[in-house]
């Protein structure tokens, strides 16, 4: 789903690596706050999840207010909606 653009053209509300994201798992009715990080920076106790994890892959590239239906390892798709995204300062 990726479209490569210069970082200067990306809104600060677009989820990317190191973004802190509040999302709603509409399938489960649960809201969570996570930070998307590279796999070697994962720290689940502090809410840092890999961009390669199912939730990380689903959220990457979405913008506030957008949602996606994404397949999860249990075989069931879940609908995730970005409530708030704060991009890292460059």
């Amino acid at each position: 789903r990726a479209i490569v653009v210069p970082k200067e053209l990306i809104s600060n509300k677009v989820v990317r690596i190191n973004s802190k994201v509040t999302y709603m798992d509409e399938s489960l009715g649960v809201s969570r706050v996570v930070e998307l990080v590279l796999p070697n920076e994962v720290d689940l106790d502090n809410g840092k999840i890999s961009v390669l994890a199912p939730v990380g892959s689903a959220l990457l590239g979405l913008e506030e207010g957008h949602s996606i239906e994404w397949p999860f390892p249990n075989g069931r798709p879940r609908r995730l909606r970005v409530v708030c995204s704060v991009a890292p300062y460059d």
Side-chain angles (χ1 to χ4, degrees):
R1 326 182 263 127
I3 299 171
V4 179
V5 296
K7 68 180 178 180
E8 301 83 37
L9 299 179
I10 301 173
S11 165
N12 285 338
K13 297 180 185 284
V14 172
V15 178
R16 51 186 146 169
I17 294 174
N18 297 320
S19 289
K20 289 192 178 181
V21 183
T22 302
Y23 73 94
M24 172 63 81
D25 185 329
E26 295 178 338
S27 302
L28 300 176
V30 177
S31 179
R32 293 193 172 104
V33 178
V34 296
E35 182 176 352
L36 298 187
V37 297
L38 296 173
N40 64 326
E41 299 171 333
V42 169
D43 181 352
L44 298 178
D45 291 335
N46 288 304
K48 295 182 179 188
I49 65 166
S50 172
V51 296
L52 300 179
V55 169
S57 297
L59 296 173
L60 198 61
L62 294 182
E63 191 167 359
E64 283 184 17
H66 290 185
S67 62
I68 190 168
E69 190 166 293
W70 197 256
F72 275 71
N74 66 1
R76 291 187 172 160
R78 286 169 37 194
R79 177 156 293 281
L80 308 178
R81 180 175 44 86
V82 176
V83 176
C84 177
S85 174
V86 179
Y89 293 105
D90 293 321

